[in-house]
Amino acid sequence: ASHRRRLFRQANHSVRIKTVTNCLQEHNVAFSMMDSLEYAEIEKHFVEDGYAVIRGLYTPAEVVDLKLAMDDLYKRAGDVLEQQIDEAREQVRKRIDEKMSPSDDVQREHIILLWSEKGSRYTYDLRPNGDVERALTNPTLQDLSVTHVAGCGHDIELFEKLGGGTLNSRLTHLAATLLDRTCLSDGKMTQIIQQAHFKEPNGGVSFAWHQDSKHRREAYGDFVDINGRGSYCNIAVAVDPEVADGAENNGPLGVIPKSHRDGHLGGQAGLNPADVDTSKMEYPLLQPGDALCIGPWIIHGSEPNKSQVLWRRSFITGFAVPSAVKSKPKKDTPSMSLSWTRDVPPCAEN
């Protein structure tokens, strides 16, 4: 294998990536693999600050594939609305009723949910400048924004390749290093999520301050921490550049460094965004192919995309230590995402 080093400079949490070509992979895809020192560096930031940034985790060619997959998925989101028009109308009506009579539940968000035949879950919300009357009779992407699609690999096979498949070694080794190195020897990680997130220009999509431990249902006992690191991490890969300033602010993700040290907050209701001290908030400002790794307790969120032209899309995979995933939720409580068991192949450089 041939080796090339590139140094990516941005933020204290960035690490160097060594690109290695593995001829055994499908289509001779080049993949990034960190050596032991680089793994140790990102692990240090993850443990101390609750998150870490890897510049260039995905290659430019892989980013091109991600963009193609995102384009196909966005079109599919419009098709799902058309195919399930009656259900979409009913959910739009309920969403409008909620906006007219706001609930005290500050955690309520992204109400319009539709499932495709293959099992992907599409989430929409009303556009701030959309036509409400038109959305009630004929809901389309003209008046609805796509917020995210869970299980996106079910409908668009390319996501499965980019979130597992040929990239399995890179992602699972990264997750195992951050969470529990015994997974490297055991050879297994549990993948809980595979999602595509959309923030189109002036689309109104935002994510309130939150901890992912709420979605893992830690307070219900469906997920437990094994060794003090949270036993779960999201790896969010940027598809588009993130911009935080001026008219081109496209709603980049913000994090509160070291906020993970307080563990899960807010019990079963989860964190109240109004209680978050944002004075120490940081923007990692990812570029296409960069990855943000966050644990379950780090507080993070993002404001709407205010740009008239720039998109902000990201592809997120979430991995857990297998023994951290406990009993399935009861039927009368929200369900966790489906999970996959991923192999952690041997890594010659770690």
Side-chain angles (χ1 to χ4, degrees):
S2 62
H3 297 260
R4 293 178 296 144
R5 283 192 179 275
R6 291 184 295 167
L7 180 62
F8 293 82
R9 301 180 182 275
Q10 190 170 358
N12 293 329
H13 303 7
S14 303
V15 300
R16 293 178 298 168
I17 304 296
K18 179 161 53 180
T19 301
V20 181
T21 302
N22 181 349
C23 296
L24 298 179
Q25 287 192 315
E26 183 180 359
H27 305 306
N28 295 328
V29 176
F31 75 100
S32 301
M33 183 181 292
M34 292 175 285
D35 62 27
S36 58
L37 291 178
E38 293 163 336
Y39 272 113
E41 185 179 354
I42 189 173
E43 182 182 9
K44 175 175 178 285
H45 288 306
F46 182 82
V47 172
E48 292 183 357
D49 298 317
Y51 77 101
V53 174
I54 304 176
R55 304 293 172 184
L57 181 66
Y58 278 33
T59 67
E62 290 162 353
V63 172
V64 170
D65 282 345
L66 268 180
K67 290 180 178 180
L68 291 173
M70 285 283 181
D71 290 344
D72 287 347
L73 189 65
Y74 187 80
K75 180 180 181 301
R76 188 70 58 86
D79 294 340
V80 169
L81 275 174
E82 183 177 353
Q83 293 162 3
Q84 302 183 41
I85 187 71
D86 291 337
E87 176 64 20
R89 287 193 190 109
E90 179 62 17
Q91 292 205 36
V92 166
R93 183 190 62 77
K94 291 180 179 179
R95 181 59 169 149
I96 292 173
D97 288 345
E98 285 185 351
K99 282 184 172 291
M100 296 295 291
S101 303
S103 167
D104 292 333
D105 183 1
V106 295
Q107 302 296 313
R108 196 80 182 262
E109 60 179 349
H110 309 320
I111 298 302
I112 304 168
L113 303 174
L114 297 174
W115 295 81
S116 72
E117 291 184 356
K118 293 183 178 180
S120 295
R121 187 189 70 193
Y122 292 77
T123 310
Y124 312 81
D125 204 353
L126 297 167
R127 291 180 182 274
N129 56 350
D131 187 319
V132 173
E133 293 300 323
R134 183 171 57 196
L136 279 168
T137 57
N138 184 32
T140 68
L141 296 184
Q142 187 173 2
D143 299 306
L144 302 179
S145 294
V146 184
T147 67
H148 64 284
V149 181
C152 49
H154 296 314
D155 276 3
I156 306 296
E157 188 175 344
L158 187 54
F159 280 117
E160 173 61 17
K161 170 189 171 184
L162 294 166
T166 57
L167 293 180
N168 182 46
S169 176
R170 192 186 319 167
L171 296 173
T172 53
H173 267 90
L174 176 57
T177 300
L178 297 178
L179 300 177
D180 190 341
R181 285 178 175 266
T182 60
C183 293
L184 295 173
S185 55
D186 294 343
K188 298 292 181 184
M189 290 291 293
T190 296
Q191 184 175 353
I192 293 181
I193 68 168
Q194 184 188 83
Q195 297 182 356
H197 283 229
F198 294 85
K199 277 193 173 185
E200 58 186 287
N202 200 31
V205 175
S206 64
F207 294 90
W209 293 110
H210 66 282
Q211 297 173 299
D212 288 337
S213 51
K214 178 190 177 184
H215 303 300
R216 300 286 68 79
R217 295 175 49 83
E218 181 175 326
Y220 288 88
D222 295 320
F223 191 91
V224 298
D225 175 39
I226 301 301
N227 63 0
R229 295 192 178 188
S231 299
Y232 174 81
C233 72
N234 275 342
I235 303 174
V237 178
V239 180
D240 307 295
E242 293 188 343
V243 180
D245 298 321
E248 297 310 312
N249 183 321
N250 62 355
L253 187 70
V255 297
I256 311 294
K258 298 178 172 56
S259 57
H260 67 302
R261 297 182 179 183
D262 293 326
H264 177 75
L265 303 173
Q268 293 181 357
L271 173 74
N272 186 337
D275 295 336
V276 176
D277 178 5
T278 61
S279 62
K280 296 182 180 180
M281 186 266 292
E282 294 182 0
Y283 290 119
L285 294 180
L286 305 181
Q287 296 299 305
D290 292 350
L292 174 66
C293 303
I294 59 174
W297 303 318
I298 189 76
I299 298 173
H300 59 289
S302 62
E303 295 182 348
N305 183 347
K306 300 174 183 177
S307 173
Q308 299 299 312
V309 294
L310 297 182
W311 284 73
R312 186 176 83 76
R313 298 167 295 179
S314 57
F315 177 51
I316 303 176
T317 51
F319 294 91
V321 177
S323 57
V325 182
K326 298 301 181 182
S327 60
K328 296 293 183 181
K330 297 179 180 178
K331 291 184 179 180
D332 59 348
T333 58
S335 175
M336 284 178 61
S337 302
L338 297 177
S339 61
W340 305 261
T341 298
R342 300 288 194 192
D343 292 328
V344 185
C347 178
E349 299 199 36
N350 190 35

